[in-house]
Amino acid sequence: MGQPQVVLGVSGGIAAYKACELLRRLTESGHGVRVVPTDSALHFVGEATWSALSGNPVSTLVWDDVREVPHVRIGQHADLVVVAPATADLLAKAAHGLADDLLTNTLLTARCPVVFAPAMHTEMWEHPATQENVATLRRRGAIVIEPAVGRLTGVDTGKGRLPDPAEIFEVCRRVLARGPQGLATDLAGRHVVISAGGTREPLDPVRYLGNRSSGKQGYALARTAVARGARVTLVAANTDLADPAGADVLRVGTAVQLREAVLKAAADADVVVMAAAVADFRPAHYAAGKIKKKDDQEQPPLELVRNPDVLAELATQRSHPGQLIVGFAAETDDVLANGRAKLLRKGCDLLVVNEVGDHKAFGSEENEAVVLGADGSETPVPYGPKEALADQVWDLAIARLT
């Protein structure tokens, strides 16, 4: 196979300068990149910069090198087209099939996966016209990444910020890794809710009961779902990982907070994946001041109460018929036997069972598991990247959705 060919479209928004970082990541990871900016984009980053960073000529016009028919050839030869930033104007033109410059012509001729990374003010993103254009593009199979929430131009803050270029790159990498399947955004039109990380139950202002979950498996599930076209809500408990591009991230701390966030987000979800390590117990009493060690007397025992069983609640009180519930079971012994018992007890559709312990699963970039189905199926997933396990989970979920 030759070098993967990527077209990086850049439209005229202030976030255009961030596309330089995306370009660097694409070229340094072995992709051939042709940058196709709009005229407006060149007001923010000049032609010389794009040409120097990509090593390829840059043009905005269909009239340059006419003998090469660039408005057709560029899209035809691409393995991926990514537009970052994608302004409201660019999204509108793409949705309506307008072709008044080289980038919009390229979008019409591309037969490869297309990823849009929008960036604009909140009011523009939320406008019904923009939302209809986004829905149209998604319905046609394009991946439109949800913008991030944060500081915008000037003093404004809200949803509309370009996601971190490193995370946009991860979406591109996942789409390219799927090869021809990248065209099949099989989660398009679906809303998935994923929990990740580990809850912490405070004892006092300093200490808490917690676990060693890093959130990496849940984040891998979020990234792969975005790359497959889903609208993703990620409920993250105490992680220090970068927000996956395209996911709406809700941050929580305790099991009770996680329950509230997941149940609310799951109201219209097609799939809910409980990958977070949720504490089974919490202290019965919270000490307003730091608990002091007293040398002259024995410390009283720590009284615990049960936390709500979020997975079982989701499975028994589904918000609508056909909603799919996926759980995770971290076991240290009798892994499959304990997993089968938990699957029956919780009532979920799929249960991902893996062995945990020192240097196993928690904090690692790799994982291995067996996915148990309520229909009696068992799907082993060999040791490998957590994204591979995530894709296998989505394959099994999609088969049950359809």
Side-chain angles (χ1 to χ4, degrees):
M1 287 183 62
Q3 186 185 47
Q5 298 301 306
V6 177
V7 173
L8 172 58
V10 185
S11 58
I14 188 64
Y17 76 93
K18 295 183 179 179
C20 295
E21 173 65 14
L22 176 58
L23 172 57
R24 184 185 67 81
R25 289 179 178 271
L26 287 167
T27 55
E28 288 186 355
S29 57
H31 301 86
V33 185
R34 176 76 179 261
V35 181
V36 182
T38 64
D39 276 333
S40 297
L42 295 181
H43 286 285
F44 297 97
V45 181
E47 177 184 337
T49 299
W50 297 123
S51 181
L53 291 177
S54 68
N56 285 312
V58 171
S59 176
T60 66
L61 303 174
V62 297
W63 308 110
D64 292 341
D65 296 320
V66 174
R67 67 187 182 282
E68 300 292 336
V69 200
H71 70 289
V72 174
R73 295 287 182 260
I74 294 174
Q76 285 180 334
H77 294 164
D79 297 300
L80 172 72
V81 177
V82 53
V83 183
T87 60
D89 179 70
L90 188 284
L91 293 173
K93 288 179 178 178
H96 290 85
L98 300 180
D100 61 354
D101 63 7
L102 189 55
L103 177 54
T104 48
N105 273 270
T106 298
L107 289 170
L108 277 182
T109 57
R111 294 298 178 264
C112 59
V114 178
V115 176
F116 294 93
M120 64 197 73
H121 269 71
T122 306
E123 293 83 359
M124 300 174 73
W125 171 253
E126 294 177 347
H127 195 284
T130 303
Q131 290 302 303
E132 287 183 17
N133 292 332
V134 168
T136 297
L137 291 168
R138 285 172 171 164
R139 189 169 61 251
R140 293 175 185 159
I143 296 171
V144 185
I145 299 172
E146 289 287 313
V149 176
R151 181 72 177 268
L152 306 173
T153 306
V155 298
D156 294 342
T157 299
K159 188 169 186 177
R161 182 182 176 90
L162 186 73
D164 187 279
E167 291 299 321
I168 299 174
F169 170 74
E170 287 299 320
V171 174
C172 296
R173 186 179 65 80
R174 288 303 310 155
V175 173
L176 282 165
R178 286 174 60 76
Q181 295 184 77
L183 281 170
T185 50
D186 44 14
L187 282 173
R190 303 288 191 178
H191 177 208
V192 303
V193 175
I194 303 158
S195 69
T199 61
R200 296 176 180 176
E201 310 301 325
L203 293 162
D204 60 25
V206 177
R207 305 178 182 89
Y208 60 85
L209 294 178
N211 56 67
R212 294 169 54 195
S213 177
S214 65
K216 290 181 178 179
Q217 184 62 70
Y219 275 57
L221 283 156
R223 289 192 179 97
T224 50
V226 168
R228 295 172 78 147
R231 177 166 68 91
V232 178
T233 301
L234 177 63
V235 180
N238 305 297
T239 70
D240 57 2
L241 304 172
D243 290 352
D248 286 324
V249 182
L250 307 175
R251 300 199 176 278
V252 297
T254 68
V256 171
Q257 292 170 349
L258 182 140
R259 172 187 176 273
E260 180 181 354
V262 168
L263 291 181
K264 183 177 180 179
D268 67 342
D270 298 285
V271 187
V272 183
V273 183
M274 287 292 294
V278 183
D280 294 319
F281 303 95
R282 68 179 184 272
H285 306 287
Y286 174 76
K290 180 181 175 182
I291 301 171
K292 301 291 187 180
K293 178 173 64 177
K294 299 178 180 179
D295 295 333
D296 58 342
Q297 64 185 69
E298 186 177 339
Q299 289 294 121
L302 179 63
E303 183 182 356
L304 301 175
V305 295
R306 291 183 67 91
N307 270 323
D309 191 330
V310 186
L311 179 58
E313 186 174 357
L314 286 165
T316 57
Q317 301 178 27
R318 303 181 192 225
S319 60
H320 56 85
Q323 186 178 60
L324 198 75
I325 307 299
V326 182
F328 271 68
E331 302 291 344
T332 57
D333 53 65
D334 296 328
V335 174
L336 284 181
N338 286 333
R340 293 188 189 100
K342 184 172 183 177
L343 176 66
L344 184 64
R345 189 169 67 252
K346 301 292 187 180
C348 50
D349 301 288
L350 294 169
L351 188 72
V352 183
V353 185
N354 61 334
E355 185 176 0
V356 298
D358 289 340
H359 310 297
K360 292 181 180 178
F362 285 149
S364 171
E365 301 296 335
E366 291 79 29
N367 205 351
E368 65 179 317
V370 176
V371 185
L372 304 177
D375 56 4
S377 61
E378 293 186 10
T379 306
V381 183
Y383 185 80
K386 288 185 173 178
E387 286 183 349
L389 174 56
D391 268 325
Q392 183 66 72
V393 170
W394 293 127
D395 287 345
L396 294 169
I398 289 164
R400 284 157 175 78
L401 284 173
T402 56

